[in-house]
Coordinates of all heavy atoms in Angstrom, one line a residue:
G131 N 17.0 4.0 8.3 CA 17.8 3.6 7.1 C 19.2 3.0 7.4 O 20.0 2.8 6.5
Q132 N 19.5 2.9 8.7 CA 20.8 2.4 9.1 C 20.9 0.9 9.2 O 21.9 0.3 9.0 CB 21.2 3.1 10.4 CG 21.8 4.4 10.3 CD 23.0 4.5 9.3 OE1 24.0 3.8 9.4 NE2 22.8 5.2 8.2
Q133 N 19.8 0.3 9.6 CA 19.8 -1.2 9.9 C 18.8 -1.9 9.0 O 17.7 -1.4 8.8 CB 19.6 -1.5 11.4 CG 20.7 -1.1 12.3 CD 20.6 -1.6 13.7 OE1 19.5 -1.8 14.2 NE2 21.7 -1.9 14.3
L134 N 19.3 -3.1 8.5 CA 18.4 -3.9 7.7 C 18.2 -5.2 8.4 O 19.2 -5.8 8.9 CB 19.1 -4.2 6.3 CG 18.4 -5.2 5.4 CD1 17.1 -4.6 4.9 CD2 19.3 -5.6 4.2
A135 N 17.0 -5.7 8.5 CA 16.7 -7.0 9.1 C 16.4 -7.9 7.9 O 15.6 -7.6 7.0 CB 15.5 -6.9 10.1
S136 N 16.9 -9.2 8.0 CA 16.6 -10.2 6.9 C 16.3 -11.5 7.6 O 17.0 -11.9 8.6 CB 17.8 -10.3 6.0 OG 18.9 -10.9 6.6
G137 N 15.2 -12.1 7.1 CA 14.8 -13.4 7.6 C 14.9 -14.4 6.5 O 14.6 -14.1 5.3
G138 N 15.2 -15.7 6.8 CA 15.4 -16.7 5.8 C 14.6 -18.0 6.1 O 14.2 -18.3 7.2
N139 N 14.5 -18.8 5.0 CA 14.0 -20.2 5.2 C 15.0 -21.0 6.0 O 14.6 -22.2 6.3 CB 13.8 -20.8 3.8 CG 12.4 -20.4 3.2 OD1 11.7 -19.5 3.7 ND2 12.1 -20.9 2.1
D140 N 16.2 -20.6 6.2 CA 17.1 -21.3 7.0 C 17.0 -21.0 8.5 O 17.8 -21.4 9.3 CB 18.6 -20.9 6.6 CG 18.8 -19.4 6.5 OD1 18.0 -18.6 7.0 OD2 19.8 -19.0 5.9
N141 N 15.8 -20.4 8.9 CA 15.5 -20.1 10.3 C 16.3 -19.0 10.9 O 16.3 -18.7 12.1 CB 15.5 -21.3 11.2 CG 14.8 -22.5 10.6 OD1 14.0 -22.4 9.7 ND2 15.0 -23.7 11.3
L142 N 17.2 -18.3 10.0 CA 18.1 -17.3 10.6 C 17.5 -15.9 10.4 O 16.7 -15.6 9.5 CB 19.4 -17.3 9.8 CG 20.3 -18.6 10.0 CD1 21.5 -18.5 9.0 CD2 20.8 -18.7 11.4
L143 N 17.8 -15.1 11.4 CA 17.5 -13.6 11.3 C 18.8 -12.9 11.4 O 19.6 -13.2 12.3 CB 16.6 -13.3 12.5 CG 16.3 -11.8 12.8 CD1 15.7 -11.1 11.6 CD2 15.5 -11.6 14.1
H144 N 19.1 -12.0 10.4 CA 20.3 -11.2 10.5 C 19.9 -9.8 10.6 O 18.9 -9.3 10.1 CB 21.1 -11.4 9.2 CG 21.8 -12.7 9.0 ND1 21.3 -13.7 8.2 CD2 22.9 -13.2 9.6 CE1 22.1 -14.8 8.3 NE2 23.1 -14.5 9.2
I145 N 20.8 -9.0 11.3 CA 20.7 -7.6 11.3 C 22.0 -7.1 10.7 O 23.1 -7.5 11.0 CB 20.7 -7.0 12.8 CG1 19.6 -7.7 13.6 CG2 20.5 -5.5 12.8 CD1 18.2 -7.4 13.1
W146 N 21.9 -6.2 9.7 CA 23.0 -5.7 8.9 C 23.1 -4.2 9.2 O 22.0 -3.5 9.3 CB 22.8 -5.9 7.4 CG 22.5 -7.3 7.1 CD1 21.2 -7.8 7.0 CD2 23.3 -8.4 6.7 NE1 21.2 -9.1 6.7 CE2 22.5 -9.5 6.5 CE3 24.7 -8.5 6.6 CZ2 23.0 -10.8 6.1 CZ3 25.2 -9.7 6.3 CH2 24.4 -10.8 6.0
D147 N 24.3 -3.6 9.3 CA 24.4 -2.2 9.5 C 25.0 -1.5 8.3 O 26.0 -1.9 7.7 CB 25.4 -2.0 10.7 CG 25.3 -0.6 11.2 OD1 25.6 0.4 10.5 OD2 24.8 -0.4 12.4
R148 N 24.3 -0.5 7.8 CA 24.6 0.2 6.6 C 26.0 0.8 6.6 O 26.8 0.9 5.7 CB 23.6 1.2 6.3 CG 23.7 1.9 4.9 CD 23.0 1.1 3.8 NE 23.7 1.3 2.6 CZ 23.4 2.3 1.8 NH1 22.5 3.2 2.1 NH2 24.0 2.5 0.6
S149 N 26.4 1.3 7.9 CA 27.7 2.0 8.0 C 28.9 1.1 7.7 O 30.0 1.6 7.5 CB 27.8 2.7 9.3 OG 27.7 1.7 10.4
V150 N 28.7 -0.2 7.9 CA 29.9 -1.1 7.6 C 29.7 -1.9 6.3 O 30.4 -2.8 6.1 CB 30.1 -2.1 8.8 CG1 30.5 -1.3 10.1 CG2 28.9 -3.0 9.1
A151 N 28.8 -1.5 5.5 CA 28.5 -2.2 4.2 C 29.7 -2.0 3.3 O 30.4 -1.0 3.3 CB 27.3 -1.7 3.6
S152 N 30.0 -3.1 2.6 CA 31.1 -3.1 1.7 C 30.7 -3.3 0.2 O 29.8 -4.1 0.0 CB 32.1 -4.2 2.1 OG 33.0 -4.5 1.1
V153 N 31.4 -2.6 -0.7 CA 31.1 -2.7 -2.1 C 31.7 -3.9 -2.7 O 31.2 -4.7 -3.5 CB 31.5 -1.4 -2.8 CG1 31.2 -1.5 -4.3 CG2 30.8 -0.2 -2.2
N154 N 33.0 -4.1 -2.4 CA 33.8 -5.1 -3.1 C 33.7 -6.5 -2.6 O 33.9 -7.5 -3.3 CB 35.3 -4.7 -3.0 CG 35.5 -3.3 -3.6 OD1 34.9 -3.0 -4.6 ND2 36.3 -2.5 -2.9
S155 N 33.3 -6.7 -1.3 CA 33.2 -8.1 -0.8 C 31.9 -8.1 0.0 O 31.4 -7.1 0.5 CB 34.4 -8.4 0.2 OG 34.4 -7.4 1.2
P156 N 31.3 -9.4 0.2 CA 30.1 -9.5 1.0 C 30.3 -9.0 2.4 O 31.2 -9.2 3.0 CB 29.8 -11.0 1.0 CG 30.6 -11.5 -0.2 CD 31.8 -10.6 -0.4
T157 N 29.3 -8.2 2.8 CA 29.3 -7.5 4.1 C 29.0 -8.5 5.2 O 28.2 -9.4 5.1 CB 28.3 -6.4 4.1 OG1 28.6 -5.5 3.0 CG2 28.4 -5.6 5.4
Q158 N 29.8 -8.4 6.3 CA 29.5 -9.2 7.5 C 28.3 -8.7 8.3 O 28.1 -7.5 8.4 CB 30.8 -9.2 8.4 CG 30.7 -10.0 9.6 CD 30.6 -11.5 9.4 OE1 30.9 -12.0 8.3 NE2 30.3 -12.3 10.4
W159 N 27.5 -9.6 8.8 CA 26.3 -9.2 9.6 C 26.7 -8.6 10.9 O 27.8 -8.9 11.5 CB 25.4 -10.3 9.8 CG 26.1 -11.5 10.5 CD1 26.3 -11.7 11.9 CD2 26.6 -12.7 9.9 NE1 26.9 -12.8 12.1 CE2 27.2 -13.5 10.9 CE3 26.7 -13.1 8.6 CZ2 27.8 -14.7 10.7 CZ3 27.3 -14.3 8.3 CH2 27.8 -15.1 9.4
L160 N 25.9 -7.7 11.4 CA 26.1 -7.1 12.8 C 25.6 -8.2 13.8 O 26.3 -8.4 14.8 CB 25.2 -5.9 12.9 CG 25.3 -5.1 14.2 CD1 26.7 -4.6 14.5 CD2 24.2 -4.0 14.3
H161 N 24.5 -8.8 13.6 CA 24.0 -9.9 14.5 C 23.5 -11.0 13.7 O 22.7 -10.8 12.7 CB 22.9 -9.4 15.4 CG 23.3 -8.2 16.3 ND1 24.2 -8.3 17.3 CD2 22.8 -7.0 16.3 CE1 24.3 -7.1 17.9 NE2 23.5 -6.3 17.3
R162 N 23.8 -12.2 14.0 CA 23.1 -13.4 13.5 C 22.3 -14.0 14.6 O 22.9 -14.5 15.6 CB 24.2 -14.4 12.9 CG 23.5 -15.8 12.6 CD 24.5 -16.8 12.0 NE 24.5 -16.6 10.5 CZ 25.1 -17.5 9.7 NH1 25.8 -18.5 10.2 NH2 25.0 -17.2 8.4
L163 N 21.0 -14.1 14.5 CA 20.1 -14.5 15.6 C 19.5 -15.8 15.2 O 18.8 -15.9 14.2 CB 19.1 -13.4 15.8 CG 19.7 -12.0 16.0 CD1 18.7 -10.9 15.9 CD2 20.4 -12.0 17.4
E164 N 19.8 -16.9 16.0 CA 19.4 -18.2 15.6 C 18.3 -18.8 16.5 O 18.2 -20.0 16.6 CB 20.7 -19.1 15.7 CG 21.8 -18.6 14.8 CD 23.1 -19.5 14.9 OE1 22.9 -20.7 15.0 OE2 24.2 -18.9 14.8
D165 N 17.5 -18.0 17.1 CA 16.5 -18.5 18.1 C 15.3 -19.0 17.5 O 14.6 -19.9 18.1 CB 16.1 -17.3 19.1 CG 17.3 -16.7 19.9 OD1 18.4 -16.7 19.3 OD2 17.1 -16.3 21.0
H166 N 14.9 -18.6 16.3 CA 13.7 -19.2 15.7 C 14.0 -20.6 15.1 O 15.1 -20.9 14.7 CB 13.3 -18.3 14.5 CG 12.5 -17.0 14.9 ND1 11.3 -17.0 15.5 CD2 12.9 -15.7 14.8 CE1 10.9 -15.8 15.7 NE2 11.9 -15.0 15.3
T167 N 13.0 -21.4 15.2 CA 13.2 -22.8 14.8 C 12.4 -23.1 13.5 O 12.1 -24.2 13.1 CB 12.7 -23.8 15.9 OG1 11.4 -23.5 16.3 CG2 13.6 -23.7 17.1
A168 N 12.0 -22.1 12.8 CA 11.3 -22.2 11.5 C 11.6 -20.9 10.7 O 12.2 -20.0 11.2 CB 9.8 -22.4 11.6
A169 N 11.2 -20.9 9.4 CA 11.4 -19.8 8.5 C 11.0 -18.4 9.1 O 10.0 -18.4 9.8 CB 10.8 -20.0 7.2
V170 N 11.8 -17.4 8.9 CA 11.5 -16.0 9.4 C 11.1 -15.1 8.3 O 11.9 -14.6 7.6 CB 12.7 -15.5 10.2 CG1 12.4 -14.1 10.8 CG2 13.2 -16.4 11.2
K171 N 9.7 -15.0 8.1 CA 9.2 -14.2 7.0 C 8.7 -12.8 7.6 O 8.8 -11.8 6.9 CB 8.1 -14.9 6.3 CG 7.4 -14.1 5.2 CD 6.3 -14.9 4.5 CE 5.6 -14.1 3.5 NZ 4.9 -13.0 4.0
A172 N 8.1 -12.9 8.8 CA 7.5 -11.7 9.4 C 8.5 -10.9 10.1 O 9.2 -11.3 11.1 CB 6.4 -12.2 10.4
L173 N 8.6 -9.6 9.7 CA 9.5 -8.7 10.3 C 8.9 -7.3 10.4 O 8.2 -6.9 9.5 CB 10.8 -8.5 9.5 CG 11.7 -9.8 9.3 CD1 12.8 -9.5 8.2 CD2 12.4 -10.1 10.6
A174 N 9.0 -6.6 11.5 CA 8.5 -5.3 11.7 C 9.3 -4.5 12.7 O 9.4 -4.9 13.8 CB 7.0 -5.4 12.1
W175 N 9.8 -3.3 12.2 CA 10.5 -2.4 13.1 C 9.5 -1.5 13.9 O 8.5 -1.1 13.3 CB 11.4 -1.5 12.3 CG 12.6 -2.2 11.7 CD1 12.6 -2.7 10.4 CD2 13.9 -2.4 12.3 NE1 13.9 -3.3 10.2 CE2 14.7 -3.1 11.4 CE3 14.4 -2.0 13.5 CZ2 16.0 -3.4 11.6 CZ3 15.7 -2.4 13.8 CH2 16.5 -3.1 12.8
C176 N 9.7 -1.3 15.1 CA 8.8 -0.6 16.0 C 8.9 0.9 15.6 O 10.0 1.5 15.5 CB 9.2 -0.8 17.4 SG 8.3 0.2 18.6
P177 N 7.7 1.6 15.5 CA 7.7 3.0 15.1 C 8.1 3.9 16.2 O 8.4 5.1 15.9 CB 6.2 3.2 14.6 CG 5.4 2.1 15.3 CD 6.4 1.0 15.5
F178 N 8.0 3.5 17.5 CA 8.3 4.4 18.6 C 9.6 4.1 19.3 O 9.9 4.8 20.2 CB 7.1 4.4 19.6 CG 6.6 3.1 20.1 CD1 7.3 2.5 21.1 CD2 5.6 2.4 19.5 CE1 6.9 1.3 21.6 CE2 5.2 1.2 19.9 CZ 5.8 0.6 21.0
Q179 N 10.3 3.1 18.8 CA 11.6 2.7 19.5 C 12.5 2.2 18.4 O 12.3 1.1 17.9 CB 11.4 1.7 20.6 CG 12.5 1.5 21.5 CD 12.2 0.6 22.7 OE1 11.1 0.6 23.2 NE2 13.2 -0.2 23.0
G180 N 13.4 3.0 17.9 CA 14.2 2.8 16.7 C 15.0 1.4 16.7 O 15.2 0.9 15.6
N181 N 15.4 0.9 17.8 CA 16.2 -0.3 17.8 C 15.4 -1.5 18.2 O 16.0 -2.5 18.6 CB 17.4 -0.1 18.8 CG 17.0 0.1 20.2 OD1 15.9 0.7 20.5 ND2 17.8 -0.3 21.1
L182 N 14.1 -1.4 18.2 CA 13.2 -2.6 18.5 C 12.7 -3.2 17.3 O 12.0 -2.6 16.5 CB 12.1 -2.1 19.4 CG 11.1 -3.2 19.9 CD1 11.7 -4.3 20.7 CD2 10.0 -2.5 20.7
L183 N 12.9 -4.5 17.1 CA 12.5 -5.3 16.0 C 11.6 -6.4 16.5 O 12.0 -7.1 17.4 CB 13.6 -5.8 15.2 CG 13.3 -6.7 14.0 CD1 12.8 -5.9 12.8 CD2 14.5 -7.6 13.6
A184 N 10.5 -6.6 15.8 CA 9.7 -7.8 16.0 C 9.8 -8.8 14.9 O 9.9 -8.4 13.7 CB 8.2 -7.5 16.2
S185 N 10.0 -10.1 15.2 CA 10.1 -11.1 14.1 C 9.2 -12.3 14.5 O 8.9 -12.5 15.6 CB 11.6 -11.6 14.0 OG 12.0 -12.2 15.2
G186 N 8.7 -12.9 13.4 CA 7.8 -14.1 13.6 C 8.3 -15.3 12.9 O 8.8 -15.2 11.8
G187 N 8.1 -16.5 13.5 CA 8.6 -17.7 13.0 C 7.5 -18.5 12.4 O 6.3 -18.4 12.7
G188 N 7.8 -19.4 11.5 CA 6.9 -20.2 10.7 C 6.3 -21.4 11.5 O 6.4 -21.4 12.8
G189 N 5.7 -22.4 10.8 CA 4.9 -23.4 11.4 C 5.6 -24.2 12.5 O 5.0 -24.7 13.4
G190 N 6.9 -24.4 12.4 CA 7.6 -25.2 13.4 C 8.1 -24.3 14.6 O 8.8 -24.8 15.5
D191 N 7.7 -23.1 14.6 CA 8.2 -22.1 15.6 C 7.1 -21.4 16.3 O 7.0 -21.4 17.5 CB 9.2 -21.1 15.0 CG 9.7 -20.1 15.9 OD1 10.8 -20.4 16.6 OD2 9.2 -19.0 16.1
K192 N 6.2 -20.7 15.6 CA 5.0 -20.1 16.0 C 5.2 -18.9 17.0 O 4.3 -18.4 17.6 CB 4.1 -21.1 16.7 CG 3.8 -22.4 15.9 CD 2.8 -23.3 16.6 CE 2.3 -24.4 15.8 NZ 3.1 -25.6 16.0
C193 N 6.4 -18.4 17.1 CA 6.7 -17.4 18.1 C 6.9 -16.0 17.5 O 7.5 -15.9 16.4 CB 8.0 -17.8 18.9 SG 7.8 -19.2 20.0
I194 N 6.5 -15.0 18.2 CA 6.9 -13.6 17.9 C 8.0 -13.3 18.9 O 7.8 -13.5 20.1 CB 5.7 -12.6 18.1 CG1 4.6 -13.0 17.2 CG2 6.2 -11.2 17.9 CD1 3.3 -12.1 17.4
K195 N 9.1 -12.8 18.4 CA 10.2 -12.5 19.3 C 10.5 -11.0 19.1 O 10.4 -10.4 18.0 CB 11.5 -13.3 19.0 CG 11.3 -14.8 19.2 CD 12.5 -15.6 19.0 CE 12.3 -17.1 19.1 NZ 12.0 -17.5 20.5
F196 N 11.0 -10.4 20.2 CA 11.3 -8.9 20.2 C 12.8 -8.8 20.4 O 13.4 -9.4 21.3 CB 10.5 -8.2 21.2 CG 9.0 -8.2 20.9 CD1 8.2 -9.2 21.5 CD2 8.5 -7.2 20.1 CE1 6.9 -9.3 21.2 CE2 7.1 -7.3 19.8 CZ 6.3 -8.3 20.4
W197 N 13.5 -7.9 19.7 CA 14.9 -7.8 19.7 C 15.4 -6.4 19.9 O 14.8 -5.5 19.3 CB 15.6 -8.3 18.4 CG 15.1 -9.7 18.0 CD1 14.0 -9.9 17.2 CD2 15.7 -10.9 18.3 NE1 13.9 -11.3 17.0 CE2 14.9 -11.9 17.7 CE3 16.8 -11.3 19.0 CZ2 15.2 -13.3 17.8 CZ3 17.1 -12.6 19.1 CH2 16.3 -13.6 18.5
N198 N 16.4 -6.2 20.7 CA 17.2 -5.0 20.8 C 18.3 -5.2 19.7 O 19.2 -5.9 19.9 CB 17.8 -4.8 22.1 CG 18.7 -3.5 22.2 OD1 19.2 -3.1 21.2 ND2 18.8 -2.9 23.4
T199 N 18.2 -4.4 18.6 CA 19.1 -4.7 17.5 C 20.4 -4.0 17.6 O 21.4 -4.3 16.9 CB 18.4 -4.2 16.1 OG1 18.2 -2.8 16.2 CG2 17.1 -4.9 15.8
H200 N 20.6 -3.2 18.7 CA 21.9 -2.6 19.0 C 22.8 -3.7 19.6 O 23.9 -3.9 19.3 CB 21.9 -1.4 19.9 CG 21.3 -0.2 19.2 ND1 21.3 -0.1 17.8 CD2 20.8 1.0 19.7 CE1 20.7 1.1 17.5 NE2 20.4 1.7 18.6
T201 N 22.1 -4.4 20.6 CA 22.9 -5.4 21.4 C 22.7 -6.9 20.8 O 23.5 -7.8 21.1 CB 22.4 -5.4 22.8 OG1 21.1 -5.8 22.9 CG2 22.6 -4.0 23.4

Side-chain angles (χ1 to χ4, degrees):
Q132 274 310 299
Q133 290 191 327
L134 173 71
S136 67
N139 277 6
D140 50 15
N141 309 350
L142 292 173
L143 169 62
H144 287 104
I145 308 296
W146 312 87
D147 196 296
R148 189 81 211 278
S149 58
V150 297
S152 162
V153 179
N154 303 319
S155 59
T157 304
Q158 181 69 13
W159 57 81
L160 180 65
H161 301 295
R162 168 176 272 190
L163 306 166
E164 303 180 35
D165 299 34
H166 282 292
T167 54
V170 184
K171 178 180 177 296
L173 297 169
W175 290 92
C176 177
F178 53 83
Q179 195 174 321
N181 62 330
L182 177 62
L183 175 75
S185 63
D191 180 85
K192 306 184 173 96
C193 290
I194 298 173
K195 296 183 188 290
F196 296 91
W197 308 90
N198 177 333
T199 60
H200 290 340
T201 63

